[in-house]
Amino acid sequence: KPRILSGIQPTGSLHLGNYLGALSQWVPMQDTYSCNFCVVDLHAVTNTKDHKLQQSSDGLREWTLSSAALYIAAGIDPEKSNIFVQSHVSAHSELSWLLTCTCPMGWMDRMIQFKEKKASKGDNVGLGLYSYPVLMAADILLYGAEKVPVGEDQRQHLELTRDLARRFNDQFCTGSQYKKLCKSLSLPTYPVFREPEAMIVKEGARVMSLTDGTSKMSKSDPSEASRINVLDPPDVIRQKVKRCKTDNFEGIIGAEDRPEARNLITIFKAVQPDRDPAEIEASVRDMNWGQFKPVLAEAVIEHLAPIQKRYEEVRGEEGYLEGVLKRGGDRANEQADETLKRARAAMGFVPRF
Ligand code: ATP
Ligand code: MG
């Protein structure tokens, strides 16, 4: 089976965007692909001191465990897929360094997401945030992932991953020396890295902020009111939907340029995957905002209820989650070490005696 790798940063409680745009899309992939789903805690710490993570390490610990539990609650089956915590596999950090040393600065200077974050954070931007795409390349290349399900915002980082893989292979994995070395160490002789392909998640799965229909819902938005968390209790969801931003047009469907309206309808359809989208639109066409909002809130609550219930079960069963992460981490370490061993050897590091 072709391999897939994807992950979410434990920078907060997971929200509807993470669920609709990532988690729920992963579930059906489990039958077609050999999947690695990772909680990318090493990425989470790239946020500098202005971020809530730095206020308490309890945050990182709890969000890491709750994210992993939500993977399972949302339908990732630990029997089919590998669920693990990134920092449990030290090969991520090590390969990241090896790739850092082969990466020209000019390639990093082109990264749009860093430029944007730097523009908004100023001096609070750390070195880790700058080199973040190299760590992401290491994540992907360690497992020889053929496909990487990502949002449009990650396309450039995936392109960088391909460039880094090609550069490393060209620089270190051609020539007879390399083949001889591999044979002497009983390692495969093909180039170390596979160039991955992006699997861009479909457009409808992009969820926007409840307070601004033009920016995406995200964990790092300081306003709790901007997002619905997967674990929000029903009353909190009702309140957030009630207060969310809307517009002054009559009716909730139709007319161009209505980012908030479009977003709420997108959410309404996404949480009712078994209903026909056209029929859904017809059913709310004649409503005003005051009528639509409670209907939307109930649909979201109903969709999240079974996930919340499973989440409680996963967290409640003594030792279960730890066992899943232990097994997942062991399997991931096995795969990753093999790649790392070859990368080290190709660069000329003396193998461990
Ligand atoms: P942060 O603000 O810390 O970056 P985030 O909410 O952007 O958090 P990530 O951990 O960066 O979440 O992303 C995890 C996954 O969720 C990625 O696959 C990303 O494409 C997806 N994702 C994040 N936000 C949304 C959204 N609003 N709509 C759809 N998918 C999203
Ligand atoms: Mg993000």
Side-chain angles (χ1 to χ4, degrees):
K1 279 189 195 173
R3 287 184 184 174
I4 273 194
L5 178 110
S6 203
I8 297 180
Q9 308 183 65
T11 40
S13 198
L14 302 195
H15 53 73
L16 215 50
N18 300 136
Y19 170 69
L20 295 171
L23 272 180
S24 70
Q25 313 264 346
W26 298 348
V27 174
M29 293 174 192
Q30 298 181 95
D31 295 320
T32 324
Y33 301 99
S34 161
C35 299
N36 277 303
F37 297 119
C38 184
V39 181
V40 288
D41 53 351
L42 295 171
H43 286 280
V45 294
T46 57
N47 293 282
T48 39
K49 67 177 188 298
D50 65 327
H51 193 272
K52 55 192 173 182
L53 261 182
Q54 258 59 27
Q55 287 155 20
S56 85
S57 51
D58 289 349
L60 182 60
R61 212 173 350 258
E62 172 53 25
W63 289 325
T64 301
L65 294 173
S66 68
S67 300
L70 264 184
Y71 285 13
I72 301 168
I76 305 300
D77 180 352
E79 303 298 321
K80 289 186 196 160
S81 303
N82 221 15
I83 304 174
F84 66 100
V85 176
Q86 185 187 26
S87 67
H88 292 179
V89 184
S90 47
H92 289 257
S93 306
E94 188 174 341
L95 182 60
S96 176
W97 178 252
L98 303 187
L99 294 175
T100 295
C101 295
T102 65
C103 179
M105 286 273 276
W107 288 10
M108 296 305 292
D109 289 335
R110 286 203 293 268
M111 293 298 120
I112 296 162
Q113 200 175 72
F114 178 75
K115 286 187 206 166
E116 286 171 359
K117 291 203 175 174
K118 187 165 188 283
S120 70
K121 292 186 176 197
D123 284 347
N124 265 332
V125 157
L127 182 58
L129 195 67
Y130 180 71
S131 56
Y132 169 114
V134 180
L135 178 59
M136 178 170 155
D139 301 339
I140 296 163
L141 297 177
L142 274 177
Y143 302 97
E146 276 131 300
K147 307 246 180 209
V148 186
V150 286
E152 189 59 47
D153 57 328
Q154 295 298 323
R155 193 189 278 277
Q156 196 188 28
H157 293 163
L158 207 81
E159 206 45 55
L160 178 85
T161 303
R162 296 170 57 87
D163 290 343
L164 283 171
R166 202 175 312 127
R167 187 179 170 91
F168 187 100
N169 287 342
D170 288 349
Q171 209 168 332
F172 300 111
C173 311
T174 49
S176 52
Q177 252 336 80
Y178 172 74
K179 292 218 163 90
K180 236 164 73 191
L181 175 80
C182 290
K183 287 213 174 95
S184 75
L185 295 170
S186 321
L187 295 169
T189 56
Y190 48 80
V192 176
F193 297 124
R194 184 203 302 273
E195 289 178 38
E197 270 172 47
M199 205 164 140
I200 300 292
V201 163
K202 66 174 190 289
E203 179 57 53
R206 192 168 161 83
V207 179
M208 309 310 280
S209 159
L210 294 187
T211 46
D212 171 10
T214 60
S215 67
K216 82 165 192 77
M217 186 176 284
S218 87
K219 288 183 245 100
S220 51
D221 190 320
S223 162
E224 244 331 287
S226 70
R227 60 185 162 264
I228 295 173
N229 296 322
V230 180
L231 296 175
D232 276 345
D235 273 342
V236 173
I237 296 176
R238 286 186 194 106
Q239 281 300 323
K240 284 179 175 174
V241 172
K242 195 172 169 189
R243 295 195 185 137
C244 76
K245 188 173 172 204
T246 52
D247 56 32
N248 295 321
F249 288 86
E250 208 165 302
I252 54 177
I253 292 170
E256 308 283 295
D257 253 358
R258 300 179 62 190
E260 283 81 19
R262 201 177 332 118
N263 185 41
L264 296 181
I265 289 293
T266 301
I267 294 174
F268 191 57
K269 287 179 187 162
V271 296
Q272 300 177 95
D274 298 334
R275 278 178 77 185
D276 172 28
E279 185 260 319
I280 293 182
E281 280 202 17
S283 74
V284 296
R285 188 170 295 280
D286 298 325
M287 292 184 182
N288 60 34
W289 286 120
Q291 293 164 321
F292 175 66
K293 279 181 166 183
V295 177
L296 170 62
E298 294 315 311
V300 172
I301 290 166
E302 194 177 318
H303 188 75
L304 295 181
I307 299 166
Q308 297 183 349
K309 182 163 170 277
R310 270 197 304 263
Y311 173 85
E312 292 306 330
E313 290 163 4
V314 170
R315 289 306 296 267
E317 192 181 328
E318 179 85 30
Y320 174 71
L321 185 59
E322 290 77 0
V324 168
L325 294 178
K326 164 99 177 73
R327 284 195 301 281
D330 286 349
R331 278 196 295 260
N333 267 304
E334 218 171 277
Q335 294 178 27
D337 277 345
E338 161 93 20
T339 310
L340 181 61
K341 206 191 271 175
R342 297 177 61 210
R344 282 206 207 106
M347 284 180 89
F349 291 100
V350 175
R352 279 193 202 136
F353 298 113

